[in-house]
Amino acid sequence: MIHPGFSALLDATRSLHATQTALRGFADWPDDLIPQEILPFHVPAADVMLADQALRCPEDFRQVLQAVLAAASVAVWRETYKDTSIGDDFMRRFGCYCLIGDGGAVISGKMAAYVVYMPAGLDYPWHHHPAEEVYFILAGQAEFQIEGQPAHVVQPGDAVFHASNVAHATRTTDQPMLALVFWRGDLATGPVLTYPKVLA
Ligand code: ZN
């Protein structure tokens, strides 16, 4: 059985996937989803997200945004960069939990899906991973940088593709950003920081 705190988010994400060509084109909705037991793990960024009054989204994404917030209290929040040089501020304020995959309510061999939250005024420095990735912006605004491309600002409804092992970085300024992030390919290898590159 799917964890009750996650079933609304899974349904809303599936509906979103069905209506967004960028997501449908990236990967089919997985047909191999298996529910799994999860033990909630809380981080300070979960509270930052739940208290963030500036997280606004278009009507189309309101249902999925509400489901993201509702699942926050039962999610297994990740500490991807815990033992790196990323710094305390990032560890306190950057939020990510898994929906499909390791630590998520369901697991698939074909796709992983995450919630990524960044409050206003946060730099997510250059990082990379072998999986191919799509960010789908639900709320807020952020500047994305991809190695070899000019930086661009994204809004709700925009999708950003990251190729395998190509470094990318994200920065918020006066607004937070909330995104659903989908992976295909190597789902087992996590992201690592791409030092010595720094945000321009
Ligand atoms: Zn990435």
Side-chain angles (χ1 to χ4, degrees), residues 104-190:
V106 291
I107 195 155
S108 161
K110 301 176 180 178
M111 174 200 277
Y114 304 91
V115 169
V116 168
Y117 163 73
M118 291 176 60
L122 188 66
D123 281 351
Y124 185 178
W126 292 101
H127 57 285
H128 63 277
H129 40 74
E132 295 179 298
E133 173 178 74
V134 165
Y135 268 71
F136 187 84
I137 313 305
L138 293 174
Q141 182 180 288
E143 181 189 83
F144 277 69
Q145 288 190 287
I146 301 171
E147 189 177 13
Q149 298 182 25
H152 62 293
V153 174
V154 299
Q155 314 280 351
D158 288 341
V160 182
F161 176 74
H162 296 140
S164 177
N165 282 323
V166 172
H168 46 282
T170 309
R171 172 161 56 193
T172 53
T173 51
D174 60 332
Q175 287 186 53
M177 180 209 68
L178 186 75
L180 284 173
V181 179
F182 299 88
W183 276 21
R184 69 181 184 198
D186 180 352
L187 306 179
T189 308

Side-chain angles (χ1 to χ4, degrees), residues 89-109:
D89 181 59
F90 186 90
M91 287 305 297
R92 255 193 316 272
R93 297 200 297 142
F94 174 82
C96 177
Y97 70 80
C98 185
L99 171 60
I100 303 173
D102 192 22
V106 291
I107 195 155
S108 161

Side-chain angles (χ1 to χ4, degrees), residues 2-17 29-30 33-35 64 67-68 71 98-101 104-107 111 113 180:
I2 292 168
H3 192 292
F6 271 97
S7 49
L9 178 54
L10 206 55
D11 288 347
T13 303
R14 183 177 188 159
S15 299
L16 182 79
H17 178 274
W29 187 256
L33 293 176
I34 298 169
V64 62
V68 164
C98 185
L99 171 60
I100 303 173
V106 291
I107 195 155
M111 174 200 277
L180 284 173

